[in-house]
Amino acid sequence: MTDPENGNGPARQSGPVVVRRGIPEGVEVRVAELYWDAFGRKLGPALDPPDSAREFIARHLHHDRGVTALLDGEVVGVAGYRLGERALTGGGARDVLATYGAVRGLPRLALLALFSRTPAAHELVMDGIAVNPAHRGHGIGSLLLKEIVALAADHGCRRVRLDVIDINPRARALYERHGFSAARTERTPYLRGLMGFSAVTTMYRPVTAAAENGEPR
Ligand SMILES: CC(C)(COP(=O)(O)OP(=O)(O)OC[C@H]1O[C@@H](n2cnc3c(N)ncnc32)[C@H](O)[C@@H]1OP(=O)(O)O)[C@@H](O)C(=O)NCCC(=O)NCCS
């Protein structure tokens, strides 16, 4: 059984893959690599070059704001979430400026602010999910999503929110299969050249007592 307070312990298992709450100590760089591989296009303009970006993400991870999928002890997937002010990826303005310097840091801060999403009351925001490309399509993303929903229920949240970009219809289809519905779409044509997408859709999934086991409704 998982302890929702400290987030330790195996939570969900399918075959040899174990999904657990929290990011284990020592795998920060691997988690940062997975995040960077999945979201480098989106985060690149803010955190490039890649080496600095991965190092920045690894150094500022909040271990209690992630769910990890492990195969033989190796991290093959991760989902990050925001509860209150705290998210998986940390690092405030001071850290960005210390890493990149004032001249390069300030425009980065402006870009990162675009992605900052503060949850409403009784809401958990899932702000990133990534599975190692070699292990995609085997249900690991689904296990991570179920654990995120179960975690939201354990924290008394009434819904989970996420954003999906217009160039990722397969991820959107996955979310719909897990009970998420699109609520609104924000057009972002000004980001197309820089980040490759031109619209962001916000999706919600209600969390009920029945969802405590992570079952899709
Ligand atoms: C989205 C993602 C986490 C799904 O993980 P997964 O372990 O492959 O998920 P599952 O095996 O449980 O489900 C597979 C479904 O995921 C979706 N999917 C999205 N992108 C996919 C990809 N590149 N490869 C395989 N499946 C993908 C599809 O809907 C797929 O179903 P399909 O085979 O009918 O198309 C994973 O593909 C990934 O890391 N993608 C890159 C990062 C990303 O896009 N994150 C979401 C940002 S909103």
Side-chain angles (χ1 to χ4, degrees):
M1 239 347 246
T2 301
D3 176 347
E5 286 308 314
N6 66 25
N8 290 328
R12 208 170 282 281
Q13 191 155 3
S14 171
V17 175
V18 175
V19 170
R20 59 185 301 162
R21 297 181 187 184
I23 307 292
E25 293 291 334
V27 301
E28 296 81 1
V29 170
R30 184 67 196 117
V31 166
E33 284 169 355
L34 274 177
Y35 243 59
W36 186 253
D37 286 351
F39 305 115
R41 178 84 204 265
K42 188 168 153 188
L43 296 175
L47 296 178
D48 256 346
D51 283 351
S52 310
R54 284 188 285 259
E55 198 191 310
F56 184 88
I57 294 170
R59 189 161 1 113
H60 299 290
L61 272 187
H62 290 145
H63 294 75
D64 60 339
R65 289 295 187 262
V67 171
T68 318
L70 298 156
L71 178 62
D72 297 330
E74 188 206 332
V75 179
V76 289
V78 62
Y81 62 92
R82 183 177 286 268
L83 252 184
E85 288 299 312
R86 201 169 157 86
L88 176 65
T89 49
R94 194 177 302 173
D95 304 308
V96 172
L97 295 176
T99 303
Y100 294 96
V103 173
R104 291 162 62 223
L106 281 173
R108 284 154 205 269
L109 279 179
L111 265 179
L112 288 174
L114 277 176
F115 299 119
S116 169
R117 305 256 188 255
T118 304
H122 305 295
E123 186 177 85
L124 177 148
V125 175
M126 190 186 77
D127 54 9
I129 180 167
V131 170
N132 179 335
H135 295 280
R136 286 181 193 162
H138 297 291
I140 297 174
S142 295
L143 287 175
L144 289 167
L145 275 174
K146 286 178 185 172
E147 194 57 32
I148 287 282
V149 172
L151 204 151
D154 286 347
H155 280 88
C157 295
R158 294 198 204 112
R159 65 183 187 182
V160 175
R161 183 175 120 208
L162 57 81
D163 288 336
V164 63
I165 54 181
D166 56 352
I167 55 173
N168 205 348
R170 294 179 74 192
R172 178 169 171 162
L174 175 68
Y175 300 146
E176 283 168 350
R177 287 203 292 276
H178 281 267
F180 286 84
S181 318
R184 62 179 172 275
T185 296
E186 186 188 342
R187 311 243 149 248
T188 55
Y190 49 91
L191 292 179
R192 186 182 206 115
L194 194 61
M195 298 184 183
F197 62 90
S198 46
V200 180
T201 296
T202 298
M203 304 183 81
Y204 292 106
R205 187 208 194 276
V207 173
T208 61
E212 288 200 30
N213 293 323
E215 299 300 329
R217 295 162 318 121

